[in-house]
């Protein structure tokens, strides 16, 4: 009988159960793995592509409520969402089993099982896994992305391709909406870690109070709501890649904790003292000028150099004029497919407007405008009113814009000179946020002693 090419993991604390199930399932499936300690599941799933997990629900003597199994189910689905889980219990707690099904389990079986029932359940789970993999492959083929032909964007992706083959830490710089996440995922997909997890974290949205628990994990009882041991994002990315977006927004007192993890390649969960070893590739991104942040004592210099083995700068869309129309046409095709519309085209005047527009919100702004236009347009032709662009064009299009820009640039330069290039004091005098001042420094190519 030909075996099915599938990988099955059995987790149970009873050696006789592991032995019996392995001997039986080995007749039908190529790869059978066993674990008698559920704590090792993260390491195994990080190293092996598992199709189906047979998961016992109880591990400690005297505790038969299935809570441990439900916790492990959650952990497995977080770490490896496409892995199919079948629950096993000797106690027939139907309510707990149903709770497990609601939490993402595929099926449950009672011990001692009937071999026929066990085999049928595992075969169905493998079939579901195959369908999910096929679906993901099709989505992956469809979800290509636009790079462009501008020299500066080709240079950025060329650097990305070179560094992808290494384990070097990468810092991606660029304004909001320039595609930092897309480049980070491209680097991951070209790396040796592409078959392991890619965990993305928006550090800008993490409240300081949950920063450590989210990134580093926590032990049961570490704080009021810590009901079970929980891995952090770094552990979830084990043997894969973690993408830390908006790293420039991390407060100073938390930067030191992040630096320690990167330096030691270990992570210690809240409430524990023993560090856990990490094998994770780190990619970070920010829209801030970190050199200025370091000079202004808002970002640790040692952390900056740890994350910045390779720096890649993504250009804003206003500096990619040749890519504007091709990008717009690419995004239009995506929206046509998303909304299942008939073929839609741009009016000629729209293309002229797309080319002249500054696109200060970059790719994200263009995608938003085109999606709206696809929804509103009639007669399968996007008009100027459908696109609804503000009358803001590139600065070199209008003499008045040139004059206003010159005045603004001169004002900034005088304020910088007055305050000896101190960014905070200059921003205060001009009534700007630090971020707004940074953008103007880049826009007018103003160099300071801090740069």
């Amino acid at each position: 009988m030909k075996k099915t090419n599938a990988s099955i993991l059995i987790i149970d604390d009873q050696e006789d159960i592991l032995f019996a199930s392995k001997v039986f399932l080995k007749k039908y499936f190529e790869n059978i793995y066993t674990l008698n300690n559920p704590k090792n599941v993260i390491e195994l799933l990080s190293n092996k592509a598992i199709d189906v997990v047979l998961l016992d629900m109880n591990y400690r003597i005297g505790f038969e409520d299935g809570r441990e199994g439900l916790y492990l189910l959650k952990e497995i689905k977080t770490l490896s969402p496409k892995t199919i889980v079948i629950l096993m219990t000797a106690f027939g707690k139907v309510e707990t089993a149903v709770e497990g099904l609601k939490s993402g389990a595929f099926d449950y079986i009672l011990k001692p099982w009937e071999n026929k029932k066990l085999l049928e359940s595992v075969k169905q789970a493998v079939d579901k896994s195959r369908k999910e993999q096929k679906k993901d492959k099709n989505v992956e083929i469809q979800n290509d992305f636009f790079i462009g032909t501008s020299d500066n964007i080709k240079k950025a992706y060329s650097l990305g391709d070179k560094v992808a083959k290494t384990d070097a830490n990468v810092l991606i710089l660029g304004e909001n909406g320039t595609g930092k996440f897309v480049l980070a995922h491209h680097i991951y997909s070209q790396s040796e870690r592409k078959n392991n997890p890619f965990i993305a974290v928006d550090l800008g949205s993490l409240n300081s109070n949950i920063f450590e628990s989210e990134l580093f994990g926590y032990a049961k009882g570490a704080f009021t709501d810590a009901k079970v041991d929980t891995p952090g994002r770094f552990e979830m990315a084990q043997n894969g890649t973690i993408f830390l977006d908006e790293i420039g927004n991390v407060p100073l007192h938390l930067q030191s904790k992040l630096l320690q993890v990167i330096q030691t390649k270990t992570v210690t969960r809240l409430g524990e003292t023993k560090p856990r070893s990490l094998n994770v590739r780190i990619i970070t991104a920010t829209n801030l000028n970190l050199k200025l942040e370091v000079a202004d004592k808002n970002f640790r210099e040692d952390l900056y150099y740890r994350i910045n083995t390779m720096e890649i700068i993504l250009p804003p869309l206003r500096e990619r004029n040749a890519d504007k129309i091709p990008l717009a046409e690419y995004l239009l095709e995506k929206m046509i497919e998303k909304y299942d519309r008939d073929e839609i085209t741009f009016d000629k005047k729209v293309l002229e407007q797309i080319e002249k527009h500054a696109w200060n919100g970059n790719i994200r702004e263009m995608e938003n405008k085109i999606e709206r236009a696809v929804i509103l347009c009639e007669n399968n032709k996007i008009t100027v009113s459908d696109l609804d662009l503000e009358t803001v064009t590139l600065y070199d299009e209008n003499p008045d814009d040139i004059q206003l820009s010159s005045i603004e640039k001169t004002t900034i330069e005088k304020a910088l000179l007055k305050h000896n290039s101190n960014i905070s004091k200059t921003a205060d005098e001009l009534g700007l946020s630090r971020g707004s001042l940074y953008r103007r420094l880049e826009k007018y190519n103003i160099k300071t002693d801090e740069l």
Side-chain angles (χ1 to χ4, degrees), residues 107-361:
D107 195 4
Y108 73 94
I109 59 175
L110 302 179
K111 298 189 293 184
W113 60 76
E114 296 179 10
N115 283 346
K116 184 178 179 181
K117 163 63 178 171
L118 175 64
L119 180 59
E120 185 62 28
S121 183
V122 175
K123 280 184 174 180
Q124 290 178 3
V126 169
D127 288 342
K128 180 176 173 62
S129 176
R130 291 289 179 266
K131 289 176 182 177
E132 292 292 330
Q133 290 173 23
K134 185 176 181 181
K135 188 190 301 182
D136 287 348
K137 188 174 182 181
N138 290 336
V139 169
E140 185 178 337
I141 292 170
Q142 293 170 11
N143 286 348
D144 58 337
F145 59 97
F146 180 89
I147 296 178
T149 59
S150 298
D151 288 342
N152 45 13
I153 195 66
K154 288 198 297 184
K155 178 181 178 182
Y157 270 84
S158 176
L159 284 173
D161 288 338
K162 289 178 181 177
V163 77
K165 306 305 179 186
T166 73
D167 266 346
N169 293 337
V170 181
L171 172 63
I172 303 174
L173 301 176
E175 297 176 7
N176 287 333
T178 50
K180 298 187 288 293
F181 175 90
V182 174
L183 176 56
H185 196 273
H186 174 73
I187 292 171
Y188 155 76
S189 66
Q190 301 299 309
S191 74
E192 297 296 324
R193 297 174 179 263
K194 62 185 177 183
N195 294 321
N196 295 316
F198 177 83
I199 303 296
V201 187
D202 181 3
L203 298 179
S205 67
L206 280 187
N207 185 290
S208 296
N209 295 330
I210 63 171
F211 183 90
E212 292 181 72
S213 60
E214 282 290 315
L215 287 183
F216 312 143
Y218 53 87
K220 179 180 178 180
F223 48 87
T224 303
D225 293 325
K227 306 297 184 184
V228 294
D229 294 341
T230 302
R233 304 295 183 88
F234 272 97
E235 282 185 78
M236 292 179 187
Q238 185 75 319
N239 294 320
T241 299
I242 191 167
F243 173 53
L244 303 175
D245 199 6
E246 302 298 348
I247 194 168
N249 293 336
V250 178
L252 268 174
H253 70 284
L254 295 174
Q255 291 176 24
S256 60
K257 297 179 183 297
L258 196 55
L259 175 64
Q260 183 178 15
V261 170
I262 297 172
Q263 281 181 327
T264 63
K265 296 182 180 180
T266 63
V267 64
T268 304
R269 293 181 183 180
L270 287 177
E272 293 184 349
T273 57
K274 185 179 179 180
R276 298 165 183 261
S277 180
L278 283 179
N279 177 15
V280 176
R281 205 272 181 80
I282 299 171
I283 302 178
T284 56
T286 181
N287 61 348
L288 297 181
N289 186 322
L290 287 189
K291 288 183 180 178
L292 290 177
E293 291 291 316
V294 168
D296 217 28
K297 310 299 182 185
N298 289 318
F299 199 85
R300 294 181 62 115
E301 186 174 20
D302 44 6
L303 177 57
Y304 171 70
Y305 287 114
R306 281 288 179 181
I307 63 177
N308 190 22
T309 305
M310 174 65 73
E311 179 179 287
I312 303 177
I313 301 174
L314 281 176
L317 195 50
R318 62 181 173 273
E319 294 177 7
R320 300 172 53 187
N321 211 45
D323 291 334
K324 287 181 180 178
I325 291 177
L327 174 60
E329 291 173 340
Y330 166 79
L331 293 173
L332 176 59
E333 287 299 318
K334 279 184 62 178
M335 294 308 160
I336 289 173
E337 183 176 351
K338 178 178 179 178
Y339 290 102
D340 195 23
R341 292 287 303 265
D342 294 330
E343 193 63 29
I344 298 174
T345 58
F346 288 116
D347 183 83
K348 184 178 179 181
K349 291 183 179 179
V350 170
L351 292 175
E352 293 173 359
Q353 195 177 40
I354 287 172
E355 194 166 34
K356 288 182 178 181
H357 190 67
W359 297 109
N360 292 324

Side-chain angles (χ1 to χ4, degrees), residues 19-33:
F19 178 77
S21 55
K22 181 175 183 178
V23 169
F24 174 67
L25 292 175
K26 189 68 177 174
K27 301 174 186 176
Y28 305 95
F29 304 98
E30 285 288 345
N31 304 305
I32 307 295
Y33 303 97

